[in-house]
Amino acid sequence: MEETIPATEAAQIPKQRGESLLDTAVRYAEERHWDVFPGTWLEADDGVQRCSCGDIRCDAPGAHPARGDWATQATGSATVARRMWHKQPSASILLPTGRTFDALSVPETAGFLALARMERMELTLGPVTLTPDRRMQFFVLPGAAVKVPELVRKLGWSVSSLDLAALGEGAWVAAPPTRFGSRGAVQWVRRPTPANRWLPDAEELLSPLAYACGRDR
């Protein structure tokens, strides 16, 4: 079983080293068959890293879509991905949800609590990311965004009472090693490996996630 990193050691999650954004985006498309698209990037302005979108109050500097038609731009072709990042090598790596996977997004503290419980339950997990804004995203089979609200209600929670979001069609996640301005980079809590190529259904993970989010209120 893959070792889980405790919440107190979140900053020590191993980082991807030695790979350019281009190489990483190509690898996601080639090895995982994930659609990818380039987002905004960081630009130096008087020694300060600012988002290429030009908004000095950007909520996710260097880590959001650069254009409104990003969904049509996303590609699963490694060749096309290479061409897009050649044009802008500093562009963030964004992955559209609702295609090869959906994502369950929860606060970091709830995510690590749920992860420990999932390991005790010996649940099969897919890749999991941790973002600099302290959100953990659990990759699950597509379709989760549609059924999660009803599943949460069946567990006895109201959807509005939990800080748990299901990202599906029309949404996206930032992939490692994308940086959020000076806040740091997206990191893998559980890296993509051959062992987790087959993703779990959201229903398998929802009970420990909902319980952890309920404790985290």
Side-chain angles (χ1 to χ4, degrees):
M1 182 179 295
E2 185 177 343
E3 182 181 358
T4 300
I5 299 166
T8 55
E9 300 177 11
Q12 299 176 23
I13 294 172
K15 298 179 180 179
Q16 290 185 179
R17 299 184 187 276
E19 273 192 322
S20 67
L21 288 161
L22 184 155
D23 290 338
T24 306
V26 168
R27 186 163 56 82
Y28 289 153
E30 201 165 50
E31 297 181 8
R32 298 299 292 202
H33 305 293
W34 288 339
D35 283 4
V36 297
F37 67 98
T40 54
W41 56 93
L42 296 172
E43 298 176 333
D45 181 11
D46 289 332
V48 178
Q49 295 288 318
R50 300 197 188 280
C51 186
S52 62
C53 72
D55 183 355
I56 62 173
R57 292 180 295 275
C58 182
D59 291 333
H64 64 85
R67 42 195 276 187
D69 64 345
W70 61 264
T72 62
Q73 186 188 24
T75 180
S77 164
T79 301
V80 175
R82 186 178 298 278
R83 188 183 309 135
M84 289 193 294
W85 266 271
H86 263 307
K87 292 179 180 177
Q88 182 46 256
S90 301
S92 52
I93 303 173
L94 306 181
L95 312 175
T97 49
R99 300 187 183 187
T100 50
F101 65 89
D102 280 7
L104 302 179
S105 177
V106 299
E108 175 189 358
T109 51
F112 278 111
L113 176 62
L115 205 52
R117 193 175 188 199
M118 290 172 188
E119 287 188 339
R120 290 196 297 271
M121 297 167 68
E122 298 186 346
L123 296 179
T124 300
L125 297 173
V128 182
T129 63
L130 174 63
T131 67
D133 56 358
R134 307 180 74 84
R135 302 288 300 184
M136 283 177 65
Q137 292 160 340
F138 292 72
F139 289 23
V140 294
L141 288 172
V146 175
K147 58 186 179 182
V148 159
E150 180 60 26
L151 292 173
V152 168
R153 284 190 286 269
K154 286 183 177 179
L155 290 170
W157 300 92
S158 66
V159 177
S160 61
S161 69
L162 299 180
D163 188 1
L164 188 160
L167 307 176
E169 187 175 357
W172 52 271
V173 297
T178 294
R179 295 191 65 83
F180 280 56
S182 61
R183 283 177 271 171
V186 184
Q187 300 180 39
W188 290 114
V189 178
R190 286 194 171 243
R191 296 177 179 273
T193 67
N196 63 24
R197 182 173 295 277
W198 303 105
L199 300 176
D201 189 278
E203 190 167 2
E204 300 172 51
L205 308 188
L206 203 57
S207 178
L209 284 172
Y211 170 79
C213 287
R215 285 273 308 269
D216 196 47
R217 290 185 301 175

XYZ file of all heavy atoms in Angstrom, residues 7 105-118 134-136 138 163-164 208-217:
240
model
N -0.894 15.167 7.364
C -1.196 16.572 7.085
C -0.084 17.485 7.573
O 0.212 18.495 6.952
C -2.519 16.957 7.741
N -13.183 17.476 -4.600
C -12.325 18.495 -3.996
C -12.775 18.786 -2.575
O -13.938 19.105 -2.327
C -12.385 19.772 -4.843
O -11.626 20.810 -4.250
N -11.825 18.681 -1.627
C -12.120 18.903 -0.211
C -10.982 19.707 0.410
O -9.882 19.778 -0.144
C -12.282 17.568 0.551
C -13.432 16.745 -0.009
C -10.984 16.756 0.519
N -11.196 20.311 1.592
C -10.099 21.008 2.275
C -8.973 20.037 2.615
O -9.196 18.848 2.841
C -10.755 21.557 3.542
C -12.219 21.569 3.255
C -12.472 20.432 2.325
N -7.765 20.563 2.686
C -6.591 19.733 2.960
C -6.726 18.919 4.240
O -6.429 17.712 4.265
C -5.357 20.631 3.046
C -4.082 19.919 3.449
C -2.939 20.881 3.726
O -3.121 22.104 3.575
O -1.865 20.404 4.109
N -7.187 19.543 5.323
C -7.278 18.823 6.600
C -8.260 17.661 6.499
O -7.981 16.561 6.993
C -7.703 19.780 7.725
O -8.878 20.509 7.307
C -6.606 20.764 8.058
N -9.388 17.890 5.858
C -10.367 16.819 5.669
C -9.814 15.744 4.744
O -10.043 14.544 4.943
C -11.668 17.386 5.109
N -9.065 16.164 3.734
C -8.521 15.201 2.784
C -7.564 14.226 3.420
O -7.633 13.018 3.173
N -6.662 14.722 4.265
C -5.707 13.822 4.913
C -6.400 12.919 5.935
O -6.030 11.756 6.102
C -4.574 14.613 5.564
C -3.504 15.018 4.587
C -3.328 16.340 4.227
C -2.676 14.061 4.020
C -2.342 16.713 3.324
C -1.681 14.418 3.116
C -1.517 15.748 2.765
N -7.407 13.457 6.619
C -8.172 12.641 7.554
C -8.878 11.510 6.803
O -8.855 10.346 7.227
C -9.200 13.506 8.295
C -10.145 12.775 9.250
C -9.355 12.116 10.380
C -11.183 13.741 9.821
N -9.511 11.854 5.669
C -10.208 10.847 4.868
C -9.231 9.830 4.292
O -9.516 8.629 4.243
C -10.982 11.528 3.745
N -8.056 10.296 3.872
C -7.070 9.408 3.274
C -6.610 8.341 4.270
O -6.476 7.159 3.918
C -5.881 10.239 2.802
C -5.018 9.696 1.662
C -5.855 9.303 0.462
C -3.986 10.737 1.278
N -6.401 8.759 5.509
C -5.994 7.798 6.536
C -7.095 6.756 6.759
O -6.815 5.562 6.916
C -5.687 8.533 7.835
N -8.341 7.214 6.752
C -9.459 6.289 6.947
C -9.602 5.348 5.750
O -9.877 4.154 5.914
C -10.741 7.089 7.154
C -11.895 6.248 7.675
C -13.107 7.084 7.983
N -14.123 6.297 8.660
C -15.392 6.637 8.741
N -15.816 7.763 8.188
N -16.258 5.875 9.375
N -9.400 5.878 4.548
C -9.498 5.041 3.345
C -8.452 3.933 3.365
O -8.712 2.806 2.939
C -9.319 5.910 2.096
C -10.469 6.843 1.810
S -10.038 7.974 0.447
C -11.439 9.105 0.496
N -4.642 24.903 -0.506
C -4.987 23.931 0.546
C -6.258 23.150 0.230
O -7.105 22.933 1.097
C -5.075 24.619 1.917
C -3.829 25.425 2.266
C -3.922 26.090 3.619
N -3.776 25.109 4.698
C -2.607 24.670 5.171
N -1.490 25.100 4.639
N -2.563 23.808 6.149
N -6.360 22.704 -1.016
C -7.439 21.811 -1.429
C -6.822 20.499 -1.904
O -5.785 20.480 -2.573
C -8.252 22.405 -2.578
C -8.882 23.744 -2.314
C -10.049 23.682 -1.371
N -11.147 22.843 -1.833
C -12.302 22.727 -1.159
N -12.472 23.368 0.000
N -13.273 21.969 -1.615
N -7.479 19.382 -1.556
C -7.081 18.084 -2.075
C -8.129 17.622 -3.060
O -9.333 17.796 -2.841
C -6.900 17.066 -0.947
C -5.602 17.254 -0.199
S -5.401 16.128 1.202
C -5.314 14.553 0.381
N -9.367 14.335 -5.311
C -9.322 12.889 -5.501
C -9.890 12.560 -6.883
O -11.045 12.857 -7.166
C -10.153 12.188 -4.417
C -9.590 12.284 -3.027
C -9.635 13.489 -2.325
C -9.013 11.186 -2.412
C -9.116 13.589 -1.038
C -8.494 11.271 -1.124
C -8.548 12.475 -0.436
N -18.020 21.139 2.830
C -17.108 21.779 1.884
C -16.530 20.691 0.979
O -15.345 20.350 1.053
C -16.005 22.527 2.631
C -15.143 23.368 1.697
O -15.419 23.384 0.481
O -14.179 23.996 2.185
N -17.400 20.135 0.155
C -17.029 19.045 -0.741
C -17.614 19.363 -2.115
O -18.823 19.509 -2.253
C -17.569 17.710 -0.214
C -17.131 16.414 -0.901
C -17.360 15.223 0.032
C -17.863 16.167 -2.214
N -16.060 8.231 3.554
C -14.980 8.802 4.357
C -14.731 10.275 4.071
O -14.364 11.030 4.985
C -13.761 7.947 3.978
C -14.130 7.229 2.733
C -15.598 7.076 2.751
N -14.957 10.721 2.835
C -14.773 12.134 2.534
C -15.827 12.997 3.210
O -15.520 14.043 3.778
C -14.792 12.358 1.010
C -13.534 11.957 0.246
C -13.777 12.054 -1.260
C -12.351 12.818 0.657
N -17.077 12.553 3.151
C -18.155 13.313 3.781
C -17.970 13.348 5.296
O -18.152 14.397 5.942
C -19.505 12.704 3.437
N -17.577 12.212 5.869
C -17.343 12.154 7.319
C -16.233 13.130 7.708
O -16.363 13.902 8.688
C -16.947 10.733 7.717
C -16.452 10.602 9.135
C -17.341 10.554 10.207
C -15.092 10.531 9.406
C -16.878 10.445 11.516
C -14.620 10.422 10.689
C -15.517 10.378 11.750
O -15.048 10.276 13.039
N -15.125 13.138 6.937
C -13.997 14.010 7.248
C -14.385 15.484 7.089
O -13.988 16.327 7.886
C -12.817 13.674 6.348
N -15.170 15.801 6.064
C -15.613 17.177 5.859
C -16.551 17.616 6.991
O -16.523 18.774 7.426
C -16.304 17.339 4.512
S -15.178 17.286 3.109
N -17.368 16.685 7.460
C -18.242 16.979 8.577
C -17.459 17.271 9.845
O -17.799 18.177 10.612
N -16.378 16.523 10.065
C -15.517 16.765 11.236
C -14.777 18.082 11.100
O -14.413 18.695 12.105
C -14.491 15.621 11.329
C -15.027 14.293 11.828
C -14.987 14.208 13.343
N -13.680 14.519 13.894
C -12.725 13.600 14.119
N -12.939 12.320 13.813
N -11.573 13.948 14.645
N -14.526 18.502 9.862
C -13.678 19.669 9.587
C -14.459 20.990 9.629
O -13.867 22.050 9.483
C -13.027 19.504 8.195
C -11.865 20.447 7.988
O -11.018 20.541 8.884
O -11.823 21.104 6.941
N -15.763 20.922 9.857
C -16.591 22.158 9.820
C -16.250 23.078 10.978
O -15.911 22.629 12.056
C -18.082 21.806 9.863
C -18.569 21.152 8.571
C -20.049 20.928 8.592
N -20.451 20.064 9.722
C -21.716 19.784 10.030
N -22.687 20.322 9.322
N -21.994 19.004 11.039
